[in-house]
Amino acid sequence: NNQIKVAIVGYGNLGRGVELSILKNPDISLVAVFSRRDPKSVTTINTPVFSLDNILDYKDKVDVLILCGGSKDDLPIQGPLFAEHFNIVDSYDNHAKIPEYFENVDKSCQKNKKIGMISVGWDPGMFSINRLYGEALLPDGDTYTFWGKGLSQGHSDAIRRVNGVKAGVQYTIPSNDAITKVRSGVRPTLSTKDKHTRECFVVLNDDADAKKVENEIKTMPNYFEPYDTTVNFISQEEFDKNHNTMPHGGFVIRSGKSSDSVNQVIEYALKLDSNPEFTASVLVAYARATHKMALKGEFGAKTVFDVAPILLSSKSPIQLVKELL
Ligand code: NDP
């Protein structure tokens, strides 16, 4: 059996997404899910679950470990810890702290010559690659990243903390005006606030004052105050029916000049019905690449920038040249 043997650490939205994605990749087999919780309490689709405490027993049975824990509290510990003994792939997305995380994972990788493929997903991840391509191909230009329409976990949590709110979600929406301007090649100066609006759907407690809740949301510093925010009050029934998925997406646009009067615009767009399922699909392709890089003797912390596209595919180089070049 020459399938690539993969295991998952942490079974939340992303962990489940990785399990689903591997079903679409016949060259990869999922040997185990490891969880900090009691394995009997974790229900997967059809993968055996083991306690994370016993993970080192699987050192020689796993080619690549996909870390699916949260970026805030789990990965800063689990990344450096497991990169000592396994090739790992993760989706660490705390942009400001990526350099520090890279250093910590790299130190662990060096000990036993493992690969630590960090910050894989769509942002960071596929969007980062497209920002790099844009800059390299059109050095005289500007790069614009728009997010949405997408559910923002942080902003949804902030709504739910407002007095009188029973349930709430927030969608970040790219501003049409801003996108149109950028696509036209004029290269406007835009802040994050100019590029996005915020739309909230809220279910109120029976005794809540709608005007007060709306005002409290719209004036919340940092979260909503700087933005054009709309608040829609809906019933619990409508909330359960229409706001139970995790859509996301966005655009990376590079607008530049190849000579004084010649505009060139590059655009990469994602429209995702499920943010975790797409992020998981990216992680699985990079797990394949990580395995191929490890077989070639590479080691150390890596990012999407270090991976040649050919390594992501299950097809042979000659097949790719014939079919896709
Ligand atoms: P979850 O909160 O669903 O899961 C995180 C961890 O929490 C799991 O690994 C699991 O660990 C634990 N957990 C999950 N469900 C439960 C439960 N019912 N009770 C107790 N513990 C539970 O996070 P997501 O999977 O949605 O996201 C993970 C990370 O992915 C995010 O923090 C984000 O940083 C990153 N991400 C990156 C993207 C990118 O583009 N780079 C895009 C989207 C997300 P255990 O099994 O050990 O208990």
Side-chain angles (χ1 to χ4, degrees), residues 201-236:
F201 291 87
V202 173
V203 183
L204 290 172
N205 286 325
D206 291 341
D207 56 353
D209 175 345
K211 270 266 153 297
K212 215 170 141 209
V213 168
E214 179 172 351
N215 187 51
E216 202 171 319
I217 293 174
K218 285 185 168 176
T219 57
M220 200 184 294
N222 303 321
Y223 280 88
F224 295 104
E225 188 276 324
Y227 293 87
D228 176 1
T229 301
T230 51
V231 178
N232 304 292
F233 294 106
I234 58 172
S235 67
Q236 183 73 50

PDB file of all heavy atoms in Angstrom, residues 201-236:
ATOM      1  N   PHE A 201     -27.368  39.751  11.897  1.00  0.00           N
ATOM      2  CA  PHE A 201     -28.690  39.155  12.084  1.00  0.00           C
ATOM      3  C   PHE A 201     -28.814  38.754  13.542  1.00  0.00           C
ATOM      4  O   PHE A 201     -27.999  37.983  14.038  1.00  0.00           O
ATOM      5  CB  PHE A 201     -28.876  37.952  11.146  1.00  0.00           C
ATOM      6  CG  PHE A 201     -28.960  38.368   9.705  1.00  0.00           C
ATOM      7  CD1 PHE A 201     -27.800  38.517   8.945  1.00  0.00           C
ATOM      8  CD2 PHE A 201     -30.188  38.653   9.133  1.00  0.00           C
ATOM      9  CE1 PHE A 201     -27.876  38.927   7.611  1.00  0.00           C
ATOM     10  CE2 PHE A 201     -30.271  39.066   7.808  1.00  0.00           C
ATOM     11  CZ  PHE A 201     -29.122  39.202   7.047  1.00  0.00           C
ATOM     12  N   VAL A 202     -29.854  39.326  14.208  1.00  0.00           N
ATOM     13  CA  VAL A 202     -29.944  39.210  15.662  1.00  0.00           C
ATOM     14  C   VAL A 202     -31.321  38.696  16.077  1.00  0.00           C
ATOM     15  O   VAL A 202     -32.346  39.146  15.557  1.00  0.00           O
ATOM     16  CB  VAL A 202     -29.685  40.598  16.303  1.00  0.00           C
ATOM     17  CG1 VAL A 202     -29.926  40.559  17.806  1.00  0.00           C
ATOM     18  CG2 VAL A 202     -28.281  41.098  15.981  1.00  0.00           C
ATOM     19  N   VAL A 203     -31.329  37.749  17.030  1.00  0.00           N
ATOM     20  CA  VAL A 203     -32.575  37.326  17.682  1.00  0.00           C
ATOM     21  C   VAL A 203     -32.556  37.941  19.076  1.00  0.00           C
ATOM     22  O   VAL A 203     -31.581  37.794  19.812  1.00  0.00           O
ATOM     23  CB  VAL A 203     -32.650  35.787  17.804  1.00  0.00           C
ATOM     24  CG1 VAL A 203     -33.991  35.373  18.413  1.00  0.00           C
ATOM     25  CG2 VAL A 203     -32.428  35.119  16.453  1.00  0.00           C
ATOM     26  N   LEU A 204     -33.660  38.664  19.419  1.00  0.00           N
ATOM     27  CA  LEU A 204     -33.707  39.357  20.713  1.00  0.00           C
ATOM     28  C   LEU A 204     -34.355  38.496  21.794  1.00  0.00           C
ATOM     29  O   LEU A 204     -35.217  37.657  21.499  1.00  0.00           O
ATOM     30  CB  LEU A 204     -34.532  40.647  20.577  1.00  0.00           C
ATOM     31  CG  LEU A 204     -33.927  41.786  19.763  1.00  0.00           C
ATOM     32  CD1 LEU A 204     -34.960  42.884  19.569  1.00  0.00           C
ATOM     33  CD2 LEU A 204     -32.678  42.335  20.457  1.00  0.00           C
ATOM     34  N   ASN A 205     -33.940  38.709  23.028  1.00  0.00           N
ATOM     35  CA  ASN A 205     -34.702  38.174  24.162  1.00  0.00           C
ATOM     36  C   ASN A 205     -36.066  38.860  24.193  1.00  0.00           C
ATOM     37  O   ASN A 205     -36.203  39.991  23.709  1.00  0.00           O
ATOM     38  CB  ASN A 205     -33.970  38.465  25.478  1.00  0.00           C
ATOM     39  CG  ASN A 205     -32.765  37.567  25.647  1.00  0.00           C
ATOM     40  OD1 ASN A 205     -32.779  36.401  25.249  1.00  0.00           O
ATOM     41  ND2 ASN A 205     -31.714  38.117  26.235  1.00  0.00           N
ATOM     42  N   ASP A 206     -37.084  38.199  24.788  1.00  0.00           N
ATOM     43  CA  ASP A 206     -38.447  38.735  24.768  1.00  0.00           C
ATOM     44  C   ASP A 206     -38.552  40.161  25.313  1.00  0.00           C
ATOM     45  O   ASP A 206     -39.298  40.976  24.787  1.00  0.00           O
ATOM     46  CB  ASP A 206     -39.392  37.814  25.572  1.00  0.00           C
ATOM     47  CG  ASP A 206     -39.587  36.493  24.841  1.00  0.00           C
ATOM     48  OD1 ASP A 206     -39.306  36.457  23.614  1.00  0.00           O
ATOM     49  OD2 ASP A 206     -39.995  35.501  25.483  1.00  0.00           O
ATOM     50  N   ASP A 207     -37.788  40.450  26.384  1.00  0.00           N
ATOM     51  CA  ASP A 207     -37.930  41.760  27.041  1.00  0.00           C
ATOM     52  C   ASP A 207     -36.919  42.799  26.530  1.00  0.00           C
ATOM     53  O   ASP A 207     -36.806  43.877  27.100  1.00  0.00           O
ATOM     54  CB  ASP A 207     -37.769  41.580  28.561  1.00  0.00           C
ATOM     55  CG  ASP A 207     -36.438  40.922  28.904  1.00  0.00           C
ATOM     56  OD1 ASP A 207     -35.726  40.506  27.950  1.00  0.00           O
ATOM     57  OD2 ASP A 207     -36.105  40.831  30.103  1.00  0.00           O
ATOM     58  N   ALA A 208     -36.202  42.506  25.442  1.00  0.00           N
ATOM     59  CA  ALA A 208     -35.125  43.409  25.010  1.00  0.00           C
ATOM     60  C   ALA A 208     -35.656  44.612  24.238  1.00  0.00           C
ATOM     61  O   ALA A 208     -36.713  44.544  23.606  1.00  0.00           O
ATOM     62  CB  ALA A 208     -34.129  42.647  24.153  1.00  0.00           C
ATOM     63  N   ASP A 209     -34.886  45.709  24.302  1.00  0.00           N
ATOM     64  CA  ASP A 209     -35.238  46.942  23.597  1.00  0.00           C
ATOM     65  C   ASP A 209     -34.420  47.005  22.302  1.00  0.00           C
ATOM     66  O   ASP A 209     -33.205  47.205  22.332  1.00  0.00           O
ATOM     67  CB  ASP A 209     -34.920  48.119  24.543  1.00  0.00           C
ATOM     68  CG  ASP A 209     -35.125  49.482  23.874  1.00  0.00           C
ATOM     69  OD1 ASP A 209     -35.230  49.544  22.630  1.00  0.00           O
ATOM     70  OD2 ASP A 209     -35.157  50.483  24.618  1.00  0.00           O
ATOM     71  N   ALA A 210     -35.123  46.822  21.162  1.00  0.00           N
ATOM     72  CA  ALA A 210     -34.425  46.703  19.873  1.00  0.00           C
ATOM     73  C   ALA A 210     -33.555  47.918  19.559  1.00  0.00           C
ATOM     74  O   ALA A 210     -32.417  47.777  19.111  1.00  0.00           O
ATOM     75  CB  ALA A 210     -35.438  46.469  18.759  1.00  0.00           C
ATOM     76  N   LYS A 211     -34.101  49.118  19.800  1.00  0.00           N
ATOM     77  CA  LYS A 211     -33.349  50.351  19.485  1.00  0.00           C
ATOM     78  C   LYS A 211     -32.028  50.399  20.256  1.00  0.00           C
ATOM     79  O   LYS A 211     -30.980  50.761  19.722  1.00  0.00           O
ATOM     80  CB  LYS A 211     -34.195  51.595  19.856  1.00  0.00           C
ATOM     81  CG  LYS A 211     -35.082  52.079  18.725  1.00  0.00           C
ATOM     82  CD  LYS A 211     -34.375  53.189  17.921  1.00  0.00           C
ATOM     83  CE  LYS A 211     -34.785  53.320  16.470  1.00  0.00           C
ATOM     84  NZ  LYS A 211     -34.533  52.212  15.573  1.00  0.00           N
ATOM     85  N   LYS A 212     -32.131  50.008  21.536  1.00  0.00           N
ATOM     86  CA  LYS A 212     -30.956  50.049  22.404  1.00  0.00           C
ATOM     87  C   LYS A 212     -29.894  49.047  21.925  1.00  0.00           C
ATOM     88  O   LYS A 212     -28.701  49.358  21.852  1.00  0.00           O
ATOM     89  CB  LYS A 212     -31.394  49.700  23.842  1.00  0.00           C
ATOM     90  CG  LYS A 212     -30.619  50.468  24.880  1.00  0.00           C
ATOM     91  CD  LYS A 212     -31.235  50.300  26.264  1.00  0.00           C
ATOM     92  CE  LYS A 212     -30.101  50.172  27.266  1.00  0.00           C
ATOM     93  NZ  LYS A 212     -30.419  49.383  28.427  1.00  0.00           N
ATOM     94  N   VAL A 213     -30.358  47.840  21.588  1.00  0.00           N
ATOM     95  CA  VAL A 213     -29.433  46.795  21.128  1.00  0.00           C
ATOM     96  C   VAL A 213     -28.749  47.243  19.834  1.00  0.00           C
ATOM     97  O   VAL A 213     -27.531  47.159  19.682  1.00  0.00           O
ATOM     98  CB  VAL A 213     -30.174  45.451  20.913  1.00  0.00           C
ATOM     99  CG1 VAL A 213     -29.302  44.451  20.173  1.00  0.00           C
ATOM    100  CG2 VAL A 213     -30.637  44.879  22.252  1.00  0.00           C
ATOM    101  N   GLU A 214     -29.561  47.771  18.906  1.00  0.00           N
ATOM    102  CA  GLU A 214     -29.012  48.214  17.621  1.00  0.00           C
ATOM    103  C   GLU A 214     -27.935  49.277  17.830  1.00  0.00           C
ATOM    104  O   GLU A 214     -26.852  49.225  17.241  1.00  0.00           O
ATOM    105  CB  GLU A 214     -30.128  48.757  16.720  1.00  0.00           C
ATOM    106  CG  GLU A 214     -29.598  49.251  15.385  1.00  0.00           C
ATOM    107  CD  GLU A 214     -30.686  49.618  14.387  1.00  0.00           C
ATOM    108  OE1 GLU A 214     -31.876  49.339  14.637  1.00  0.00           O
ATOM    109  OE2 GLU A 214     -30.347  50.180  13.333  1.00  0.00           O
ATOM    110  N   ASN A 215     -28.251  50.235  18.720  1.00  0.00           N
ATOM    111  CA  ASN A 215     -27.309  51.316  18.989  1.00  0.00           C
ATOM    112  C   ASN A 215     -26.019  50.787  19.628  1.00  0.00           C
ATOM    113  O   ASN A 215     -24.913  51.183  19.253  1.00  0.00           O
ATOM    114  CB  ASN A 215     -27.977  52.353  19.902  1.00  0.00           C
ATOM    115  CG  ASN A 215     -27.090  53.569  20.076  1.00  0.00           C
ATOM    116  OD1 ASN A 215     -26.620  54.138  19.087  1.00  0.00           O
ATOM    117  ND2 ASN A 215     -26.831  53.942  21.326  1.00  0.00           N
ATOM    118  N   GLU A 216     -26.187  49.853  20.556  1.00  0.00           N
ATOM    119  CA  GLU A 216     -25.006  49.309  21.242  1.00  0.00           C
ATOM    120  C   GLU A 216     -24.088  48.556  20.259  1.00  0.00           C
ATOM    121  O   GLU A 216     -22.871  48.664  20.330  1.00  0.00           O
ATOM    122  CB  GLU A 216     -25.446  48.394  22.389  1.00  0.00           C
ATOM    123  CG  GLU A 216     -24.336  48.242  23.424  1.00  0.00           C
ATOM    124  CD  GLU A 216     -24.809  47.511  24.677  1.00  0.00           C
ATOM    125  OE1 GLU A 216     -25.950  47.784  25.141  1.00  0.00           O
ATOM    126  OE2 GLU A 216     -24.061  46.664  25.173  1.00  0.00           O
ATOM    127  N   ILE A 217     -24.714  47.837  19.319  1.00  0.00           N
ATOM    128  CA  ILE A 217     -23.903  47.115  18.324  1.00  0.00           C
ATOM    129  C   ILE A 217     -23.175  48.112  17.421  1.00  0.00           C
ATOM    130  O   ILE A 217     -21.954  48.057  17.258  1.00  0.00           O
ATOM    131  CB  ILE A 217     -24.778  46.153  17.477  1.00  0.00           C
ATOM    132  CG1 ILE A 217     -25.312  45.009  18.351  1.00  0.00           C
ATOM    133  CG2 ILE A 217     -23.964  45.590  16.299  1.00  0.00           C
ATOM    134  CD1 ILE A 217     -26.300  44.095  17.650  1.00  0.00           C
ATOM    135  N   LYS A 218     -23.951  49.057  16.870  1.00  0.00           N
ATOM    136  CA  LYS A 218     -23.368  49.974  15.868  1.00  0.00           C
ATOM    137  C   LYS A 218     -22.263  50.865  16.430  1.00  0.00           C
ATOM    138  O   LYS A 218     -21.408  51.336  15.685  1.00  0.00           O
ATOM    139  CB  LYS A 218     -24.468  50.848  15.266  1.00  0.00           C
ATOM    140  CG  LYS A 218     -25.351  50.092  14.284  1.00  0.00           C
ATOM    141  CD  LYS A 218     -26.345  51.042  13.623  1.00  0.00           C
ATOM    142  CE  LYS A 218     -27.021  50.393  12.440  1.00  0.00           C
ATOM    143  NZ  LYS A 218     -28.052  51.244  11.848  1.00  0.00           N
ATOM    144  N   THR A 219     -22.304  51.105  17.742  1.00  0.00           N
ATOM    145  CA  THR A 219     -21.300  52.014  18.324  1.00  0.00           C
ATOM    146  C   THR A 219     -20.170  51.263  19.018  1.00  0.00           C
ATOM    147  O   THR A 219     -19.330  51.874  19.676  1.00  0.00           O
ATOM    148  CB  THR A 219     -21.955  52.969  19.345  1.00  0.00           C
ATOM    149  OG1 THR A 219     -22.606  52.189  20.354  1.00  0.00           O
ATOM    150  CG2 THR A 219     -22.961  53.894  18.686  1.00  0.00           C
ATOM    151  N   MET A 220     -20.144  49.933  18.896  1.00  0.00           N
ATOM    152  CA  MET A 220     -19.092  49.157  19.573  1.00  0.00           C
ATOM    153  C   MET A 220     -17.717  49.513  18.980  1.00  0.00           C
ATOM    154  O   MET A 220     -17.495  49.332  17.779  1.00  0.00           O
ATOM    155  CB  MET A 220     -19.382  47.666  19.392  1.00  0.00           C
ATOM    156  CG  MET A 220     -18.677  46.784  20.413  1.00  0.00           C
ATOM    157  SD  MET A 220     -18.976  45.034  20.067  1.00  0.00           S
ATOM    158  CE  MET A 220     -20.713  44.860  20.363  1.00  0.00           C
ATOM    159  N   PRO A 221     -16.797  50.026  19.814  1.00  0.00           N
ATOM    160  CA  PRO A 221     -15.504  50.472  19.283  1.00  0.00           C
ATOM    161  C   PRO A 221     -14.749  49.318  18.594  1.00  0.00           C
ATOM    162  O   PRO A 221     -14.875  48.171  19.015  1.00  0.00           O
ATOM    163  CB  PRO A 221     -14.734  50.931  20.523  1.00  0.00           C
ATOM    164  CG  PRO A 221     -15.716  51.007  21.635  1.00  0.00           C
ATOM    165  CD  PRO A 221     -16.887  50.155  21.274  1.00  0.00           C
ATOM    166  N   ASN A 222     -13.984  49.624  17.603  1.00  0.00           N
ATOM    167  CA  ASN A 222     -13.174  48.673  16.819  1.00  0.00           C
ATOM    168  C   ASN A 222     -14.014  47.671  16.017  1.00  0.00           C
ATOM    169  O   ASN A 222     -13.826  47.502  14.828  1.00  0.00           O
ATOM    170  CB  ASN A 222     -12.191  47.894  17.685  1.00  0.00           C
ATOM    171  CG  ASN A 222     -11.273  48.826  18.450  1.00  0.00           C
ATOM    172  OD1 ASN A 222     -10.842  49.841  17.904  1.00  0.00           O
ATOM    173  ND2 ASN A 222     -11.007  48.523  19.702  1.00  0.00           N
ATOM    174  N   TYR A 223     -14.952  46.998  16.687  1.00  0.00           N
ATOM    175  CA  TYR A 223     -15.719  45.947  16.025  1.00  0.00           C
ATOM    176  C   TYR A 223     -16.674  46.508  14.960  1.00  0.00           C
ATOM    177  O   TYR A 223     -16.699  46.048  13.829  1.00  0.00           O
ATOM    178  CB  TYR A 223     -16.527  45.154  17.054  1.00  0.00           C
ATOM    179  CG  TYR A 223     -15.689  44.118  17.775  1.00  0.00           C
ATOM    180  CD1 TYR A 223     -14.997  44.453  18.933  1.00  0.00           C
ATOM    181  CD2 TYR A 223     -15.608  42.822  17.295  1.00  0.00           C
ATOM    182  CE1 TYR A 223     -14.235  43.507  19.593  1.00  0.00           C
ATOM    183  CE2 TYR A 223     -14.854  41.871  17.947  1.00  0.00           C
ATOM    184  CZ  TYR A 223     -14.162  42.221  19.097  1.00  0.00           C
ATOM    185  OH  TYR A 223     -13.407  41.271  19.730  1.00  0.00           O
ATOM    186  N   PHE A 224     -17.512  47.501  15.359  1.00  0.00           N
ATOM    187  CA  PHE A 224     -18.550  47.965  14.437  1.00  0.00           C
ATOM    188  C   PHE A 224     -18.527  49.468  14.185  1.00  0.00           C
ATOM    189  O   PHE A 224     -18.936  49.926  13.132  1.00  0.00           O
ATOM    190  CB  PHE A 224     -19.944  47.548  14.951  1.00  0.00           C
ATOM    191  CG  PHE A 224     -20.136  46.061  14.968  1.00  0.00           C
ATOM    192  CD1 PHE A 224     -20.076  45.350  16.152  1.00  0.00           C
ATOM    193  CD2 PHE A 224     -20.328  45.362  13.785  1.00  0.00           C
ATOM    194  CE1 PHE A 224     -20.223  43.963  16.167  1.00  0.00           C
ATOM    195  CE2 PHE A 224     -20.482  43.982  13.784  1.00  0.00           C
ATOM    196  CZ  PHE A 224     -20.424  43.278  14.978  1.00  0.00           C
ATOM    197  N   GLU A 225     -18.063  50.211  15.171  1.00  0.00           N
ATOM    198  CA  GLU A 225     -18.146  51.672  15.089  1.00  0.00           C
ATOM    199  C   GLU A 225     -17.488  52.226  13.812  1.00  0.00           C
ATOM    200  O   GLU A 225     -18.054  53.093  13.142  1.00  0.00           O
ATOM    201  CB  GLU A 225     -17.560  52.291  16.376  1.00  0.00           C
ATOM    202  CG  GLU A 225     -17.766  53.786  16.512  1.00  0.00           C
ATOM    203  CD  GLU A 225     -16.707  54.580  15.779  1.00  0.00           C
ATOM    204  OE1 GLU A 225     -15.537  54.132  15.772  1.00  0.00           O
ATOM    205  OE2 GLU A 225     -17.046  55.607  15.186  1.00  0.00           O
ATOM    206  N   PRO A 226     -16.309  51.710  13.409  1.00  0.00           N
ATOM    207  CA  PRO A 226     -15.678  52.307  12.211  1.00  0.00           C
ATOM    208  C   PRO A 226     -16.355  51.901  10.892  1.00  0.00           C
ATOM    209  O   PRO A 226     -15.965  52.401   9.840  1.00  0.00           O
ATOM    210  CB  PRO A 226     -14.250  51.743  12.249  1.00  0.00           C
ATOM    211  CG  PRO A 226     -14.094  51.025  13.551  1.00  0.00           C
ATOM    212  CD  PRO A 226     -15.456  50.696  14.021  1.00  0.00           C
ATOM    213  N   TYR A 227     -17.317  50.997  10.932  1.00  0.00           N
ATOM    214  CA  TYR A 227     -17.867  50.431   9.688  1.00  0.00           C
ATOM    215  C   TYR A 227     -19.288  50.890   9.413  1.00  0.00           C
ATOM    216  O   TYR A 227     -20.003  51.314  10.318  1.00  0.00           O
ATOM    217  CB  TYR A 227     -17.877  48.893   9.783  1.00  0.00           C
ATOM    218  CG  TYR A 227     -16.504  48.309   9.820  1.00  0.00           C
ATOM    219  CD1 TYR A 227     -15.827  48.165  11.024  1.00  0.00           C
ATOM    220  CD2 TYR A 227     -15.865  47.929   8.648  1.00  0.00           C
ATOM    221  CE1 TYR A 227     -14.548  47.645  11.063  1.00  0.00           C
ATOM    222  CE2 TYR A 227     -14.584  47.406   8.677  1.00  0.00           C
ATOM    223  CZ  TYR A 227     -13.925  47.267   9.887  1.00  0.00           C
ATOM    224  OH  TYR A 227     -12.670  46.759   9.918  1.00  0.00           O
ATOM    225  N   ASP A 228     -19.688  50.747   8.160  1.00  0.00           N
ATOM    226  CA  ASP A 228     -21.080  50.900   7.785  1.00  0.00           C
ATOM    227  C   ASP A 228     -21.762  49.582   8.177  1.00  0.00           C
ATOM    228  O   ASP A 228     -21.575  48.559   7.528  1.00  0.00           O
ATOM    229  CB  ASP A 228     -21.139  51.160   6.268  1.00  0.00           C
ATOM    230  CG  ASP A 228     -22.560  51.232   5.760  1.00  0.00           C
ATOM    231  OD1 ASP A 228     -23.492  51.100   6.572  1.00  0.00           O
ATOM    232  OD2 ASP A 228     -22.721  51.405   4.540  1.00  0.00           O
ATOM    233  N   THR A 229     -22.527  49.624   9.287  1.00  0.00           N
ATOM    234  CA  THR A 229     -23.098  48.400   9.862  1.00  0.00           C
ATOM    235  C   THR A 229     -24.616  48.414   9.753  1.00  0.00           C
ATOM    236  O   THR A 229     -25.247  49.426  10.065  1.00  0.00           O
ATOM    237  CB  THR A 229     -22.717  48.290  11.358  1.00  0.00           C
ATOM    238  OG1 THR A 229     -21.296  48.263  11.466  1.00  0.00           O
ATOM    239  CG2 THR A 229     -23.295  47.048  11.999  1.00  0.00           C
ATOM    240  N   THR A 230     -25.222  47.305   9.310  1.00  0.00           N
ATOM    241  CA  THR A 230     -26.688  47.196   9.383  1.00  0.00           C
ATOM    242  C   THR A 230     -27.055  46.074  10.337  1.00  0.00           C
ATOM    243  O   THR A 230     -26.370  45.049  10.400  1.00  0.00           O
ATOM    244  CB  THR A 230     -27.334  46.888   8.015  1.00  0.00           C
ATOM    245  OG1 THR A 230     -26.655  45.766   7.450  1.00  0.00           O
ATOM    246  CG2 THR A 230     -27.265  48.051   7.067  1.00  0.00           C
ATOM    247  N   VAL A 231     -28.138  46.273  11.097  1.00  0.00           N
ATOM    248  CA  VAL A 231     -28.590  45.270  12.059  1.00  0.00           C
ATOM    249  C   VAL A 231     -30.010  44.840  11.680  1.00  0.00           C
ATOM    250  O   VAL A 231     -30.904  45.681  11.558  1.00  0.00           O
ATOM    251  CB  VAL A 231     -28.583  45.843  13.497  1.00  0.00           C
ATOM    252  CG1 VAL A 231     -29.094  44.803  14.490  1.00  0.00           C
ATOM    253  CG2 VAL A 231     -27.188  46.327  13.882  1.00  0.00           C
ATOM    254  N   ASN A 232     -30.202  43.544  11.438  1.00  0.00           N
ATOM    255  CA  ASN A 232     -31.530  43.015  11.103  1.00  0.00           C
ATOM    256  C   ASN A 232     -32.010  42.136  12.249  1.00  0.00           C
ATOM    257  O   ASN A 232     -31.285  41.237  12.676  1.00  0.00           O
ATOM    258  CB  ASN A 232     -31.454  42.139   9.841  1.00  0.00           C
ATOM    259  CG  ASN A 232     -30.866  42.880   8.668  1.00  0.00           C
ATOM    260  OD1 ASN A 232     -31.471  43.797   8.141  1.00  0.00           O
ATOM    261  ND2 ASN A 232     -29.653  42.499   8.275  1.00  0.00           N
ATOM    262  N   PHE A 233     -33.240  42.401  12.726  1.00  0.00           N
ATOM    263  CA  PHE A 233     -33.799  41.553  13.785  1.00  0.00           C
ATOM    264  C   PHE A 233     -34.665  40.474  13.140  1.00  0.00           C
ATOM    265  O   PHE A 233     -35.516  40.769  12.297  1.00  0.00           O
ATOM    266  CB  PHE A 233     -34.605  42.395  14.779  1.00  0.00           C
ATOM    267  CG  PHE A 233     -33.729  43.356  15.534  1.00  0.00           C
ATOM    268  CD1 PHE A 233     -33.749  44.717  15.231  1.00  0.00           C
ATOM    269  CD2 PHE A 233     -32.857  42.898  16.512  1.00  0.00           C
ATOM    270  CE1 PHE A 233     -32.921  45.596  15.914  1.00  0.00           C
ATOM    271  CE2 PHE A 233     -32.023  43.777  17.185  1.00  0.00           C
ATOM    272  CZ  PHE A 233     -32.046  45.132  16.885  1.00  0.00           C
ATOM    273  N   ILE A 234     -34.421  39.235  13.528  1.00  0.00           N
ATOM    274  CA  ILE A 234     -35.159  38.117  12.934  1.00  0.00           C
ATOM    275  C   ILE A 234     -35.632  37.168  14.031  1.00  0.00           C
ATOM    276  O   ILE A 234     -35.194  37.263  15.177  1.00  0.00           O
ATOM    277  CB  ILE A 234     -34.286  37.346  11.902  1.00  0.00           C
ATOM    278  CG1 ILE A 234     -33.002  36.812  12.551  1.00  0.00           C
ATOM    279  CG2 ILE A 234     -33.953  38.231  10.701  1.00  0.00           C
ATOM    280  CD1 ILE A 234     -32.195  35.896  11.644  1.00  0.00           C
ATOM    281  N   SER A 235     -36.513  36.218  13.633  1.00  0.00           N
ATOM    282  CA  SER A 235     -37.022  35.248  14.609  1.00  0.00           C
ATOM    283  C   SER A 235     -36.006  34.117  14.786  1.00  0.00           C
ATOM    284  O   SER A 235     -35.142  33.901  13.936  1.00  0.00           O
ATOM    285  CB  SER A 235     -38.340  34.660  14.105  1.00  0.00           C
ATOM    286  OG  SER A 235     -38.074  33.884  12.944  1.00  0.00           O
ATOM    287  N   GLN A 236     -36.133  33.402  15.901  1.00  0.00           N
ATOM    288  CA  GLN A 236     -35.251  32.246  16.149  1.00  0.00           C
ATOM    289  C   GLN A 236     -35.397  31.235  15.008  1.00  0.00           C
ATOM    290  O   GLN A 236     -34.414  30.642  14.563  1.00  0.00           O
ATOM    291  CB  GLN A 236     -35.618  31.601  17.493  1.00  0.00           C
ATOM    292  CG  GLN A 236     -34.703  30.438  17.887  1.00  0.00           C
ATOM    293  CD  GLN A 236     -33.304  30.902  18.323  1.00  0.00           C
ATOM    294  OE1 GLN A 236     -33.172  31.789  19.143  1.00  0.00           O
ATOM    295  NE2 GLN A 236     -32.265  30.304  17.759  1.00  0.00           N
TER     296      GLN A 236
END
